[in-house]
Amino acid sequence: MVERQEQAAPDAMMTRIGQTVMLHHGGDREEARDRFLKLWDEIGEDGDPFHRCTLAHYMADTQDDPVDELAWDLRALSAADELTDERVARHHEGLAVRGFYPSLHLNLAADYAKLGRPEAARSHLALARGTLGALADDGYGDGIRAALARLEARLDEESPSTGGQWPGPPRQRP
């Protein structure tokens, strides 16, 4: 019974991360970035990988410098590699770690494209494409697949007017 109560108890850190995401989506990017940094300090480099993955994934969106965005997306991927399905299911029943990878690799591909590194971008696009089977045929899955196709098309264009850099797709979330 105690175990069931613990599983049903809200995850305070995820609530705080979610509140900060809402702040960012409301337009206060700088405040969101500051709050994410404070939360990151609380979680720590060795904290719960689910918290680290989620926070780093959203923190990347608040970055002004593409190099910083890449660093946060790499942190998210690293934390995802430490996750278990059991841990993510405690947050949301039916959620599986494999469903995170299409978005994580897509975001990394977009980061590398912004940095003018098309081969690294293509490498992550291939990794994203290889994990698409984990996504449902729903709005979220369709959005990831469409963003992947758009970025592939941009990379294939090799437009000289952009200096080999592409803006990439809108970020998609696991």
Side-chain angles (χ1 to χ4, degrees):
M1 184 68 159
V2 171
E3 183 177 321
R4 292 175 84 183
Q5 288 174 343
E6 287 175 6
Q7 287 181 352
D11 183 332
M13 181 56 71
M14 289 303 294
T15 298
R16 292 167 65 201
I17 292 169
Q19 290 168 340
T20 305
V21 169
M22 289 172 41
L23 180 70
H24 178 240
H25 288 171
D28 199 341
R29 184 179 189 162
E30 188 173 332
E31 179 64 22
R33 183 174 42 235
D34 291 344
R35 288 188 190 189
F36 279 138
L37 281 173
K38 289 175 185 170
L39 292 174
W40 184 261
D41 287 343
E42 285 183 44
I43 295 167
E45 292 284 333
D46 297 318
D48 182 331
F50 185 66
H51 294 157
R52 287 186 290 123
C53 179
T54 305
L55 188 146
H57 192 62
Y58 287 111
M59 177 62 143
D61 289 340
T62 68
Q63 301 307 301
D64 297 323
D65 184 334
V67 172
D68 294 333
E69 185 175 358
L70 172 64
W72 283 105
D73 279 331
L74 288 169
R75 285 182 185 105
L77 179 64
S78 177
D81 288 342
E82 298 176 36
L83 275 172
T84 64
D85 285 336
E86 177 184 57
R87 171 59 186 104
V88 295
R90 285 195 325 243
H91 176 70
H92 187 276
E93 189 174 321
L95 194 59
V97 177
R98 69 185 180 280
F100 290 21
Y101 286 100
S103 177
L104 292 170
H105 285 295
L106 175 61
N107 290 340
L108 285 163
D111 295 342
Y112 284 118
K114 288 178 198 174
L115 292 168
R117 297 178 56 191
E119 291 311 311
R122 284 186 178 91
S123 175
H124 279 280
L125 282 175
L127 291 167
R129 187 161 294 288
T131 61
L132 287 176
L135 298 178
D137 288 329
D138 58 12
Y140 175 76
D142 293 344
I144 295 288
R145 286 184 282 275
L148 192 148
R150 284 191 305 271
L151 183 54
E152 282 178 329
R154 285 185 183 129
L155 288 171
D156 289 343
E157 287 174 6
E158 298 183 3
S159 172
S161 65
T162 62
Q165 295 183 352
W166 295 267
R171 295 179 59 84
Q172 300 290 322
R173 297 288 155 221

